Amino acid sequence: MGTQNKSLLALSVAATAALLADHFCTALGAVAGAAGVAFGVNRQDAAIGDLVTVDCLGTAIVVAGGAIAKGAYVEVGANGKAVTHAAGKIVGQALEAAAADGDRIELYLIQSSA
């Protein structure tokens, strides 16, 4: 699972917090807040001040925060992981199923607004 992605737009941002690869982040380089908006999914681990590549459009590999069905809409969960949409902003649609927390899946990115 989660072995390919097709990024149509990847941008670099300076990390303002420690970031883990394949998690949602903000345009300001911080971990995206649960149920909030996300700029995209960062590709690599980063320390404060590092430039990190963020997939903003297309598909991305993302870490799941729990089980997610293929085709389900997702939102940002705790620690910038993807979780099944409940009440937050929709930030993507699962192209693969996740069985458990920590699984990496391909996600179609959907831009959300405040």
Side-chain angles (χ1 to χ4, degrees):
M1 288 192 318
T3 58
Q4 71 171 7
N5 76 300
K6 295 187 181 358
S7 179
L8 300 177
L9 177 64
L11 299 172
S12 295
V13 298
T16 57
L19 300 175
L20 296 174
D22 305 331
H23 287 66
F24 289 108
C25 69
T26 70
L28 299 176
V31 177
V37 298
F39 183 61
V41 177
N42 53 290
R43 290 188 189 171
Q44 67 269 3
D45 292 347
I48 294 172
D50 289 348
L51 284 179
V52 63
T53 302
V54 179
D55 290 323
C56 300
L57 293 174
T59 71
I61 303 302
V62 66
V63 175
I68 300 173
K70 181 178 179 178
Y73 288 105
V74 302
E75 64 185 60
V76 180
N79 303 314
K81 294 180 180 181
V83 296
T84 301
H85 177 255
K89 302 285 186 178
I90 294 173
V91 294
Q93 185 173 22
L95 299 178
E96 301 175 292
D101 182 17
D103 285 353
R104 283 177 159 72
I105 60 170
E106 186 177 13
L107 180 81
Y108 172 71
L109 296 169
I110 298 173
Q111 291 301 303
S112 55
S113 60

